[in-house]
Amino acid sequence: MMRINNNSEPGTHYDASSNRDQRSTLFFSVHDKVGALDECLRALKKAGVSMTRIESRPSKSVDPGYDFFVDIDSRSKEVVIRVVDEIKQVSVVRDVRIVSNLDDEAAVADAVPWFPRKISDLDTFAEKVLEMGEELSSDHPGAKDPVYRRRRMEIVEKAKTYRTGQPLPRIEYTEQERETWRQVYTRLREMYPRYACREFLHVFPLLEQNCGYGADDIPQIEDISRFLKDCTGFTLRPVMGLLTPRDFLNSLAFRVFHSTQYIRHHSDP
């Protein structure tokens, strides 16, 4: 997966547009292979347009594959159609659509980016993660550990299939996972009095008393969520990996905090 970062946030996003009123947005899905995105970008060049923004996410329709949203610096329908035709010629491309074309001034004036309107809309975030989740980067401590990868996939699958209203998945952690947690927990617990803020020091004992936080076992998000809801109205829900900042903040609007459930690799706790 290719990452193109700007200076403000991590992830698969790049925006170089200085005038958003002069762009059109295309969506296309590609089969994952080395050089796939490069082939698509060459098609844009052949069509004679410049790309001003690109964003990618794992595809729901192409497996393995990625969905791309690309802005081009043209509002001409003729140009956009030419670009679509060029991208369709790329062998790895499975779907091409025009998301918005700024020749339509009324559409531009009324355009509002999608956002969740009810809490069940957060289910659409299930597979929209930027990184981690099912796949691990080559420098991850567990990247070459098949046992760890299988275990992580088991836990990630629970987050992938979770839907609003269902009981939060409970994980039966292994002894190795509990030992990794024990090392991390013990070390951090020693550092909190010196480095943690006053608010954290006030709340953390409550988590130990009510949510099962401790060195000997790993707390379940169901127990944490129930306690947080009673105290603050917030709840937890499982997630495969890192969300986009937009999706993460949209969830907070519903007082929902996403949390992974897998544990770090034991070789580098």
Side-chain angles (χ1 to χ4, degrees), residues 22-84:
Q22 300 297 323
R23 65 173 171 82
S24 298
T25 302
L26 305 179
F27 166 89
F28 55 89
S29 299
V30 302
H31 181 74
D32 187 24
K33 78 165 192 176
V34 176
L37 179 57
D38 187 52
E39 292 183 38
C40 297
L41 297 182
R42 283 201 298 268
L44 295 181
K45 182 178 180 180
K46 185 177 180 181
V49 297
S50 296
M51 178 188 71
T52 60
R53 182 185 74 98
I54 184 169
E55 182 174 346
S56 70
R57 289 178 173 177
S59 178
K60 289 185 176 181
S61 59
V62 180
D63 185 21
Y66 293 95
D67 295 336
F68 287 91
F69 293 86
V70 174
D71 290 351
I72 58 175
D73 62 348
S74 176
R75 59 189 293 155
S76 166
K77 290 183 179 179
E78 291 75 14
V79 171
V80 173
I81 291 173
R82 185 170 74 246
V83 172
V84 169

Coordinates of all heavy atoms in Angstrom, one line a residue, residues 22-84:
Q22 N -11.5 24.3 -8.7 CA -11.1 23.9 -10.1 C -10.8 22.4 -10.2 O -10.0 22.0 -11.1 CB -9.8 24.7 -10.5 CG -10.0 26.2 -10.5 CD -11.0 26.7 -11.5 OE1 -11.1 26.1 -12.6 NE2 -11.8 27.6 -11.2
R23 N -11.4 21.6 -9.4 CA -11.1 20.2 -9.4 C -12.3 19.3 -9.6 O -13.4 19.7 -9.4 CB -10.4 19.8 -8.1 CG -11.2 19.9 -6.9 CD -10.5 19.3 -5.7 NE -11.2 19.5 -4.5 CZ -12.2 18.8 -4.0 NH1 -12.7 17.8 -4.7 NH2 -12.8 19.1 -2.8
S24 N -12.0 18.1 -10.1 CA -13.0 17.0 -10.2 C -12.5 15.8 -9.4 O -11.3 15.6 -9.4 CB -13.4 16.7 -11.6 OG -13.9 17.8 -12.3
T25 N -13.4 15.0 -8.9 CA -12.9 13.8 -8.1 C -13.3 12.5 -8.8 O -14.5 12.4 -9.2 CB -13.6 13.8 -6.7 OG1 -13.2 15.1 -6.1 CG2 -13.1 12.7 -5.9
L26 N -12.4 11.6 -8.9 CA -12.6 10.3 -9.5 C -12.4 9.2 -8.5 O -11.6 9.4 -7.5 CB -11.6 10.0 -10.7 CG -11.6 11.0 -11.8 CD1 -10.6 10.6 -12.8 CD2 -13.0 11.2 -12.4
F27 N -13.1 8.1 -8.6 CA -12.9 7.0 -7.7 C -12.6 5.8 -8.6 O -13.2 5.6 -9.7 CB -14.2 6.7 -7.0 CG -14.2 5.3 -6.3 CD1 -13.8 5.1 -5.0 CD2 -14.8 4.2 -7.0 CE1 -13.8 3.9 -4.4 CE2 -14.8 3.0 -6.4 CZ -14.3 2.8 -5.1
F28 N -11.6 5.0 -8.2 CA -11.3 3.7 -9.0 C -10.7 2.7 -8.0 O -10.1 3.1 -7.0 CB -10.4 4.0 -10.2 CG -9.1 4.6 -9.9 CD1 -8.0 3.9 -9.6 CD2 -9.0 6.0 -10.0 CE1 -6.8 4.5 -9.3 CE2 -7.8 6.6 -9.8 CZ -6.7 5.9 -9.4
S29 N -11.0 1.4 -8.3 CA -10.5 0.3 -7.5 C -9.4 -0.4 -8.3 O -9.5 -0.5 -9.6 CB -11.6 -0.7 -7.2 OG -12.6 0.0 -6.4
V30 N -8.3 -0.8 -7.7 CA -7.3 -1.5 -8.4 C -7.0 -2.8 -7.7 O -7.1 -3.0 -6.5 CB -6.0 -0.7 -8.5 CG1 -6.3 0.6 -9.2 CG2 -5.4 -0.4 -7.1
H31 N -6.6 -3.8 -8.5 CA -6.1 -5.1 -7.9 C -4.6 -4.8 -7.4 O -3.8 -4.2 -8.1 CB -6.0 -6.1 -9.0 CG -5.6 -7.5 -8.5 ND1 -6.3 -8.3 -7.7 CD2 -4.4 -8.1 -8.7 CE1 -5.6 -9.4 -7.5 NE2 -4.4 -9.3 -8.1
D32 N -4.3 -5.3 -6.2 CA -3.0 -5.0 -5.6 C -1.9 -5.8 -6.3 O -1.9 -7.0 -6.3 CB -3.1 -5.4 -4.1 CG -1.9 -4.9 -3.4 OD1 -1.2 -4.0 -3.9 OD2 -1.5 -5.5 -2.4
K33 N -1.0 -5.0 -6.9 CA 0.2 -5.6 -7.4 C 1.3 -4.6 -7.4 O 1.0 -3.3 -7.4 CB 0.0 -6.2 -8.8 CG 0.0 -5.2 -9.9 CD 0.1 -5.9 -11.3 CE 0.3 -4.9 -12.4 NZ 0.6 -5.6 -13.7
V34 N 2.5 -4.9 -7.5 CA 3.6 -4.0 -7.6 C 3.5 -3.1 -8.8 O 3.3 -3.6 -9.9 CB 5.0 -4.7 -7.6 CG1 6.1 -3.7 -7.8 CG2 5.2 -5.5 -6.4
G35 N 3.5 -1.7 -8.6 CA 3.4 -0.8 -9.7 C 2.0 -0.5 -10.1 O 1.8 0.3 -11.1
A36 N 1.0 -1.0 -9.4 CA -0.4 -0.7 -9.8 C -0.8 0.8 -9.9 O -1.3 1.3 -10.8 CB -1.4 -1.5 -8.9
L37 N -0.4 1.4 -8.8 CA -0.8 2.9 -8.7 C 0.0 3.7 -9.8 O -0.5 4.6 -10.4 CB -0.5 3.4 -7.3 CG -0.8 4.9 -7.1 CD1 -2.2 5.3 -7.5 CD2 -0.5 5.3 -5.7
D38 N 1.3 3.2 -10.0 CA 2.1 3.9 -11.0 C 1.5 3.9 -12.4 O 1.5 4.8 -13.1 CB 3.5 3.3 -11.0 CG 4.5 4.1 -11.9 OD1 4.6 5.3 -11.7 OD2 5.1 3.4 -12.8
E39 N 0.9 2.7 -12.7 CA 0.2 2.6 -14.0 C -1.0 3.5 -14.1 O -1.2 4.1 -15.2 CB -0.3 1.1 -14.2 CG 0.8 0.1 -14.3 CD 0.3 -1.3 -14.6 OE1 -0.8 -1.4 -15.3 OE2 0.8 -2.3 -14.0
C40 N -1.7 3.7 -13.0 CA -2.8 4.6 -13.0 C -2.4 6.1 -13.2 O -3.0 6.9 -13.9 CB -3.7 4.5 -11.8 SG -4.4 2.8 -11.6
L41 N -1.3 6.4 -12.5 CA -0.8 7.8 -12.6 C -0.3 8.1 -14.0 O -0.4 9.2 -14.5 CB 0.3 8.0 -11.5 CG -0.2 7.9 -10.1 CD1 1.0 8.2 -9.1 CD2 -1.3 8.8 -9.8
R42 N 0.3 7.1 -14.6 CA 0.7 7.3 -16.0 C -0.4 7.6 -16.9 O -0.3 8.3 -17.9 CB 1.5 6.1 -16.5 CG 3.0 6.0 -16.0 CD 3.9 5.1 -16.8 NE 3.4 3.8 -16.8 CZ 3.8 2.8 -16.0 NH1 4.7 3.2 -15.1 NH2 3.4 1.6 -16.1
A43 N -1.6 6.9 -16.6 CA -2.8 7.2 -17.4 C -3.2 8.6 -17.3 O -3.7 9.3 -18.2 CB -3.9 6.2 -17.0
L44 N -3.1 9.2 -16.0 CA -3.5 10.6 -15.8 C -2.5 11.5 -16.6 O -3.0 12.5 -17.3 CB -3.4 10.9 -14.3 CG -4.3 10.3 -13.4 CD1 -4.1 10.8 -12.0 CD2 -5.8 10.6 -13.8
K45 N -1.3 11.2 -16.6 CA -0.3 11.9 -17.4 C -0.6 11.9 -18.9 O -0.6 12.9 -19.6 CB 1.1 11.4 -17.1 CG 2.2 12.2 -17.9 CD 3.6 11.7 -17.5 CE 4.7 12.5 -18.3 NZ 6.0 11.9 -17.9
K46 N -1.0 10.7 -19.4 CA -1.3 10.5 -20.8 C -2.5 11.4 -21.2 O -2.6 11.9 -22.3 CB -1.6 9.1 -21.1 CG -1.8 8.8 -22.6 CD -2.0 7.3 -22.8 CE -2.2 7.0 -24.3 NZ -2.4 5.5 -24.5
A47 N -3.5 11.5 -20.2 CA -4.7 12.3 -20.5 C -4.4 13.8 -20.4 O -5.3 14.6 -20.7 CB -5.8 11.9 -19.5
G48 N -3.2 14.2 -19.9 CA -2.8 15.6 -19.8 C -3.4 16.4 -18.7 O -3.6 17.6 -18.8
V49 N -3.6 15.7 -17.5 CA -4.1 16.4 -16.4 C -3.1 16.2 -15.2 O -2.3 15.2 -15.2 CB -5.5 15.9 -16.0 CG1 -6.5 16.2 -17.1 CG2 -5.5 14.4 -15.6
S50 N -3.2 17.1 -14.2 CA -2.4 16.9 -13.0 C -3.3 16.5 -11.8 O -4.5 16.9 -11.7 CB -1.8 18.3 -12.6 OG -0.9 18.7 -13.6
M51 N -2.7 15.6 -11.0 CA -3.4 15.2 -9.8 C -3.1 16.1 -8.7 O -2.0 16.5 -8.4 CB -2.9 13.8 -9.4 CG -3.5 13.2 -8.1 SD -2.7 11.7 -7.6 CE -1.1 12.3 -7.1
T52 N -4.2 16.6 -7.9 CA -4.0 17.5 -6.8 C -4.3 16.9 -5.5 O -3.9 17.4 -4.4 CB -4.9 18.7 -7.0 OG1 -6.3 18.3 -7.0 CG2 -4.6 19.5 -8.3
R53 N -4.9 15.7 -5.5 CA -5.2 15.0 -4.2 C -5.3 13.5 -4.5 O -5.9 13.1 -5.5 CB -6.4 15.5 -3.5 CG -6.7 14.9 -2.1 CD -8.0 15.3 -1.6 NE -9.1 14.7 -2.3 CZ -9.8 13.6 -1.9 NH1 -9.5 13.0 -0.7 NH2 -10.8 13.1 -2.6
I54 N -4.8 12.7 -3.6 CA -5.1 11.3 -3.7 C -5.3 10.7 -2.3 O -4.6 11.1 -1.3 CB -3.9 10.5 -4.4 CG1 -4.2 9.1 -4.6 CG2 -2.6 10.7 -3.6 CD1 -3.2 8.3 -5.5
E55 N -6.2 9.8 -2.1 CA -6.5 9.1 -0.9 C -6.8 7.7 -1.2 O -7.5 7.4 -2.1 CB -7.7 9.8 -0.1 CG -8.0 9.2 1.2 CD -9.0 10.0 2.0 OE1 -9.3 11.1 1.6 OE2 -9.6 9.4 3.0
S56 N -6.3 6.7 -0.4 CA -6.6 5.3 -0.6 C -7.0 4.6 0.6 O -6.7 5.0 1.7 CB -5.3 4.6 -1.1 OG -4.3 4.6 -0.1
R57 N -7.8 3.5 0.4 CA -8.3 2.7 1.5 C -8.4 1.3 1.0 O -8.5 1.0 -0.2 CB -9.7 3.1 2.0 CG -9.7 4.4 2.7 CD -11.1 4.8 3.1 NE -11.1 6.0 4.0 CZ -12.1 6.6 4.5 NH1 -13.3 6.1 4.2 NH2 -12.1 7.6 5.3
P58 N -8.2 0.3 1.8 CA -8.4 -1.1 1.4 C -9.8 -1.3 0.7 O -10.8 -0.7 1.2 CB -8.4 -1.9 2.7 CG -7.5 -1.1 3.6 CD -7.9 0.4 3.3
S59 N -9.8 -2.0 -0.4 CA -11.1 -2.1 -1.1 C -12.0 -3.1 -0.6 O -11.6 -4.2 -0.1 CB -10.7 -2.5 -2.6 OG -11.9 -2.6 -3.4
K60 N -13.3 -2.8 -0.6 CA -14.4 -3.8 -0.3 C -14.7 -4.7 -1.4 O -15.3 -5.8 -1.2 CB -15.6 -3.0 0.2 CG -15.5 -2.3 1.6 CD -16.8 -1.8 2.0 CE -16.7 -1.1 3.4 NZ -18.0 -0.6 3.8
S61 N -14.5 -4.2 -2.6 CA -14.9 -5.0 -3.8 C -13.8 -5.8 -4.5 O -14.1 -6.7 -5.3 CB -15.6 -4.0 -4.8 OG -14.6 -3.0 -5.2
V62 N -12.6 -5.4 -4.3 CA -11.4 -6.0 -4.9 C -10.5 -6.6 -3.9 O -10.0 -5.8 -3.0 CB -10.6 -5.1 -5.8 CG1 -9.5 -5.8 -6.5 CG2 -11.5 -4.4 -6.9
D63 N -10.3 -7.9 -3.9 CA -9.5 -8.5 -2.8 C -8.4 -9.4 -3.5 O -8.8 -10.4 -4.1 CB -10.4 -9.3 -1.9 CG -9.7 -9.9 -0.7 OD1 -8.6 -9.4 -0.4 OD2 -10.2 -10.9 -0.1
P64 N -7.1 -9.1 -3.3 CA -6.6 -7.9 -2.6 C -6.6 -6.7 -3.5 O -6.4 -6.8 -4.7 CB -5.2 -8.4 -2.2 CG -4.8 -9.3 -3.3 CD -6.1 -10.0 -3.7
G65 N -6.9 -5.6 -2.9 CA -6.9 -4.4 -3.7 C -7.2 -3.1 -2.9 O -7.4 -3.2 -1.7
Y66 N -7.2 -2.0 -3.6 CA -7.4 -0.7 -2.9 C -8.3 0.2 -3.7 O -8.4 0.1 -4.9 CB -6.0 0.0 -2.7 CG -5.1 -0.7 -1.7 CD1 -4.1 -1.6 -2.2 CD2 -5.2 -0.6 -0.3 CE1 -3.3 -2.3 -1.3 CE2 -4.4 -1.2 0.5 CZ -3.5 -2.1 0.0 OH -2.7 -2.8 0.9
D67 N -9.0 1.0 -3.0 CA -9.9 2.0 -3.6 C -9.1 3.4 -3.5 O -8.5 3.7 -2.5 CB -11.2 2.2 -2.8 CG -12.1 0.9 -2.9 OD1 -11.9 0.2 -3.9 OD2 -12.9 0.7 -2.1
F68 N -9.2 4.1 -4.6 CA -8.5 5.4 -4.7 C -9.5 6.5 -5.0 O -10.4 6.4 -5.9 CB -7.4 5.4 -5.7 CG -6.2 4.6 -5.3 CD1 -6.1 3.3 -5.7 CD2 -5.1 5.2 -4.6 CE1 -5.0 2.5 -5.3 CE2 -4.0 4.5 -4.3 CZ -4.0 3.1 -4.6
F69 N -9.4 7.6 -4.3 CA -10.1 8.9 -4.6 C -9.0 9.8 -5.1 O -8.0 10.2 -4.4 CB -10.8 9.4 -3.4 CG -11.9 8.6 -2.9 CD1 -11.7 7.5 -2.0 CD2 -13.2 8.8 -3.3 CE1 -12.7 6.7 -1.6 CE2 -14.3 8.0 -2.9 CZ -14.0 7.0 -2.0
V70 N -9.2 10.3 -6.3 CA -8.2 11.2 -6.9 C -8.9 12.5 -7.4 O -9.9 12.4 -8.1 CB -7.5 10.5 -8.1 CG1 -6.6 11.5 -8.8 CG2 -6.7 9.3 -7.6
D71 N -8.3 13.6 -7.0 CA -8.8 14.9 -7.6 C -7.8 15.3 -8.7 O -6.6 15.2 -8.6 CB -8.7 16.0 -6.5 CG -9.8 15.8 -5.4 OD1 -10.6 14.9 -5.6 OD2 -9.7 16.5 -4.4
I72 N -8.4 15.8 -9.8 CA -7.7 16.3 -10.9 C -8.0 17.8 -11.1 O -9.1 18.2 -10.8 CB -7.9 15.5 -12.2 CG1 -9.4 15.6 -12.6 CG2 -7.5 14.1 -12.1 CD1 -9.8 14.9 -13.9
D73 N -7.0 18.5 -11.7 CA -7.2 20.0 -11.8 C -8.0 20.4 -13.1 O -7.5 21.1 -13.9 CB -5.8 20.6 -11.8 CG -5.0 20.2 -13.0 OD1 -5.3 19.3 -13.6 OD2 -3.9 20.9 -13.2
S74 N -9.2 19.9 -13.2 CA -10.0 20.2 -14.3 C -11.5 20.1 -13.9 O -11.9 19.2 -13.2 CB -9.8 19.3 -15.5 OG -10.7 19.6 -16.6
R75 N -12.3 21.1 -14.4 CA -13.7 21.0 -14.2 C -14.4 20.7 -15.5 O -15.7 20.8 -15.5 CB -14.2 22.3 -13.6 CG -13.9 23.5 -14.4 CD -14.2 24.8 -13.7 NE -15.6 24.9 -13.4 CZ -16.1 25.7 -12.4 NH1 -15.3 26.3 -11.6 NH2 -17.4 25.8 -12.3
S76 N -13.7 20.5 -16.5 CA -14.3 20.2 -17.9 C -14.8 18.8 -17.9 O -14.0 17.8 -17.7 CB -13.3 20.5 -19.0 OG -13.7 19.9 -20.2
K77 N -16.0 18.6 -18.3 CA -16.6 17.2 -18.4 C -15.9 16.4 -19.5 O -15.6 15.2 -19.4 CB -18.1 17.3 -18.7 CG -18.9 17.8 -17.6 CD -20.4 17.8 -17.9 CE -21.2 18.2 -16.7 NZ -22.7 18.3 -17.0
E78 N -15.5 17.1 -20.6 CA -14.8 16.4 -21.7 C -13.4 15.9 -21.2 O -13.1 14.8 -21.5 CB -14.6 17.4 -22.8 CG -15.8 17.8 -23.6 CD -16.7 18.8 -22.8 OE1 -16.2 19.4 -21.8 OE2 -17.9 19.0 -23.2
V79 N -12.7 16.7 -20.4 CA -11.5 16.3 -19.9 C -11.6 15.1 -18.9 O -10.9 14.1 -19.0 CB -10.7 17.4 -19.2 CG1 -9.5 16.9 -18.5 CG2 -10.4 18.5 -20.2
V80 N -12.6 15.2 -18.0 CA -12.8 14.1 -17.1 C -13.2 12.8 -17.8 O -12.7 11.8 -17.4 CB -14.0 14.5 -16.1 CG1 -14.3 13.4 -15.2 CG2 -13.5 15.7 -15.2
I81 N -14.0 12.9 -18.8 CA -14.4 11.7 -19.5 C -13.1 11.1 -20.2 O -13.0 9.8 -20.2 CB -15.5 12.0 -20.5 CG1 -16.8 12.3 -19.8 CG2 -15.7 10.8 -21.5 CD1 -17.9 12.8 -20.7
R82 N -12.3 11.9 -20.7 CA -11.0 11.4 -21.3 C -10.2 10.7 -20.3 O -9.6 9.7 -20.6 CB -10.3 12.6 -22.0 CG -9.0 12.1 -22.7 CD -8.4 13.3 -23.6 NE -7.7 14.2 -22.8 CZ -8.1 15.5 -22.6 NH1 -9.2 15.9 -23.2 NH2 -7.4 16.3 -21.9
V83 N -10.1 11.3 -19.1 CA -9.3 10.7 -18.0 C -9.9 9.3 -17.6 O -9.1 8.4 -17.5 CB -9.2 11.6 -16.8 CG1 -8.6 10.9 -15.6 CG2 -8.5 12.9 -17.1
V84 N -11.2 9.3 -17.5 CA -11.8 8.0 -17.1 C -11.5 6.9 -18.2 O -11.2 5.8 -17.9 CB -13.4 8.2 -17.0 CG1 -14.1 6.9 -16.9 CG2 -13.7 9.0 -15.8

